[in-house]
């Protein structure tokens, strides 16, 4: 009886540790894939680098459109912004592709956008992710940028909502107004 109980407990422990290792492997692979994509963008001459105000990293951005504004918002300002935030499930594949069974796979995951109703959102510059806040503090009213944020300046190791931890995020941001 003791031998059967010991074998059963050993089997249970093995299954438990095996499943933990698979998840750790997935998280580590996800982290490495996202870091590799951010590194690839960091070496792309189309993008410029801005160190975060927190000092824990940097974002990369590309100007899509330059605005007419003359000042940038500060950390405590309230702004109106249009934006779309996304990431990819697999950075090696295009936004949309067919798998080996012919199914259409949507690889670009849009997790938040103002484009559905085209109404800018108002929020405090210090009320958003570090990378988003960093970008806003360097933009002028009317600027439209593509901004890449490493996971450290986005939602960190835990993620947020449906966004897994260690995710590189991409935002298209338009600074509409600095609210007086």
């Amino acid at each position: 009886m003791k031998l059967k109980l010991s074998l059963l407990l050993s089997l249970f422990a093995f299954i438990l540790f095996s499943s933990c290792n698979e998840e750790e492997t997935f998280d580590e692979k996800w982290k490495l894939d996202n870091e590799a994509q951010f590194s690839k963008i960091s070496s792309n001459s189309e993008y410029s680098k801005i160190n975060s105000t927190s000092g824990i990293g940097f974002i990369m951005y590309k100007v899509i459109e330059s605005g007419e504004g003359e000042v940038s918002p500060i950390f405590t300002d309230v702004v109106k912004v249009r934006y779309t935030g996304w990431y990819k499930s697999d950075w090696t594949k295009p936004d949309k592709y067919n798998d080996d069974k012919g199914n259409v796979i949507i690889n670009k995951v849009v997790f938040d956008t103002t484009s559905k109703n085209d109404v800018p959102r108002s929020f405090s510059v210090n009320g958003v992710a570090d990378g988003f806040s960093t970008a806003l503090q360097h933009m002028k009213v009317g600027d439209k940028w593509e901004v890449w944020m490493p996971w450290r300046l986005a939602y960190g190791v835990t993620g947020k909502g449906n966004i897994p931890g260690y995710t590189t995020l991409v935002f298209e941001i338009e600074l509409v107004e600095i609210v007086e």
Side-chain angles (χ1 to χ4, degrees), residues 77-88:
D77 281 341
V78 172
V79 294
K80 286 188 178 181
V81 177
R82 285 189 185 94
Y83 65 89
T84 297
W86 61 271
Y87 64 94
K88 284 194 176 185

Side-chain angles (χ1 to χ4, degrees), residues 14-32:
F14 175 75
I15 291 170
L16 181 64
F17 289 122
S18 294
S19 65
C20 289
N21 287 340
E22 286 175 19
E23 187 157 327
E24 287 172 5
T25 302
F26 170 79
D27 285 348
E28 187 64 22
K29 181 179 179 340
W30 179 257
K31 177 183 174 186
L32 293 174

Side-chain angles (χ1 to χ4, degrees), residues 98-111:
N98 292 329
D99 67 8
D100 56 351
K101 296 176 183 171
N103 299 314
V104 175
I105 306 297
I106 305 299
N107 190 36
K108 182 177 179 179
V109 180
V110 175
F111 60 86

Side-chain angles (χ1 to χ4, degrees), residues 119-175:
V119 176
R121 291 205 184 129
S122 296
F123 48 78
S124 178
V125 173
N126 63 14
V128 292
D130 190 349
F132 202 110
S133 175
T134 297
L136 287 171
Q137 292 175 78
H138 289 83
M139 296 176 77
K140 309 284 191 242
V141 172
D143 281 352
K144 191 177 203 178
W145 289 4
E146 179 180 293
V147 179
W148 287 70
M149 296 175 210
W151 61 267
R152 286 181 182 86
L153 298 178
Y155 297 129
V157 299
T158 57
K160 183 177 181 183
N162 293 331
I163 303 167
Y166 304 110
T167 301
T168 294
L169 299 181
V170 184
F171 281 90
E172 187 174 287
I173 303 170
E174 178 186 358
L175 179 56

Side-chain angles (χ1 to χ4, degrees), residues 2-72:
K2 286 183 180 181
L3 180 61
K4 286 182 181 179
L5 184 58
S6 177
L7 286 172
L8 184 61
L9 288 174
S10 295
L11 179 62
F12 178 74
F14 175 75
I15 291 170
L16 181 64
F17 289 122
S18 294
S19 65
C20 289
N21 287 340
E22 286 175 19
E23 187 157 327
E24 287 172 5
T25 302
F26 170 79
D27 285 348
E28 187 64 22
K29 181 179 179 340
W30 179 257
K31 177 183 174 186
L32 293 174
D33 287 350
N34 278 271
E35 288 177 343
Q37 184 62 33
F38 188 77
S39 181
K40 181 178 174 184
I41 290 299
S42 297
S43 63
N44 184 328
S45 62
E46 291 183 55
Y47 292 85
S48 300
K49 175 182 170 179
I50 299 176
N51 290 320
S52 76
T53 51
S54 66
I56 60 170
F58 60 92
I59 62 170
M60 298 301 294
Y61 75 97
K62 175 172 63 173
V63 175
I64 298 170
E65 193 174 305
S66 292
E68 300 293 323
E70 296 181 14
V71 297
S72 297

